[in-house]
Amino acid sequence: STNLIMEKQKNTTAKTALIFGVLLGAINIIYGLMLFSLEMHIQKNTTSNVIGYVIFISLIIWGIVDYRNKNQGSLKLSDALKTGLGISLISSIVLAIYLVIFIKFIDPDFIEETLKISRQTILQEQPEISEENVNQMIEMQKKFVGPFMISSFMIIFNLFFGFIISLIGGLLLKKSPTE
């Protein structure tokens, strides 16, 4: 009987993570396409970054709260972490697939434009830098801006950030089962 309850909880955690992970991934894709249509996808500004973080945090917390509500109001920290990390992982995979498609087909100049802006930023911040040093820095950056490298870094970052949000959310929302 205890094993059956544990199994049911695991399924609920995974199911919640899947639903909210796909939802978060879809919302981020829509947001990304909106930024692309407004030509704001390359030069990230503080406002668009903050909106992205708010979406990410909100959906992880919403997922954890939804899990708790479907579990008669009880939530263990471990379940909050599983749910939040699951949401982070699934949304990251959805986003990584989208990112590869985006860079390969929707905006093939994305990487070139990103490197151009990076060059401008370096020259603005360090006007005394030599052209040779700028070229070296850009060549180094080229190794890290392919769709698969960007996707890998994004997945790692989202898992780390998702862990922090899940930990804080789990600590604030955890509740023992009512007896």
Side-chain angles (χ1 to χ4, degrees), residues 13-143:
T13 305
K15 187 176 174 186
T16 303
L18 179 64
I19 291 166
F20 283 87
V22 169
L23 182 62
L24 177 56
I27 289 170
N28 278 323
I29 289 170
I30 292 166
Y31 184 59
L33 288 171
M34 184 190 79
L35 290 174
F36 172 69
S37 71
L38 297 171
E39 295 182 11
M40 295 172 60
H41 65 296
I42 293 176
Q43 280 188 312
K44 293 287 185 192
N45 63 45
T46 306
T47 306
S48 65
N49 286 339
V50 168
I51 291 169
Y53 294 134
V54 168
I55 292 168
F56 189 81
I57 293 166
S58 299
L59 265 103
I60 288 177
I61 297 299
W62 184 17
I64 292 170
V65 168
D66 183 71
Y67 173 82
R68 186 180 74 177
N69 291 344
K70 288 180 178 169
N71 240 340
Q72 294 80 40
S74 95
L75 176 70
K76 291 187 285 186
L77 181 58
S78 62
D79 289 335
L81 288 170
K82 283 190 264 185
T83 302
L85 280 170
I87 293 168
S88 300
L89 179 63
I90 291 164
S91 68
S92 294
I93 292 169
V94 168
L95 265 178
I97 293 167
Y98 160 74
L99 198 60
V100 170
I101 292 167
F102 180 82
I103 291 172
K104 293 280 186 195
F105 304 106
I106 299 172
D107 189 6
D109 297 330
F110 176 78
I111 291 174
E112 191 178 308
E113 291 297 318
T114 303
L115 290 170
K116 206 182 293 180
I117 287 172
S118 183
R119 174 183 290 279
Q120 290 170 355
T121 305
I122 293 168
L123 290 170
Q124 283 174 351
E125 291 174 358
Q126 303 173 32
E128 72 289 342
I129 196 169
S130 72
E131 187 67 28
E132 185 182 321
N133 284 347
V134 173
N135 289 338
Q136 285 176 338
M137 291 169 86
I138 295 299
E139 283 304 311
M140 183 67 120
Q141 285 182 355
K142 278 184 184 176
K143 296 174 184 171

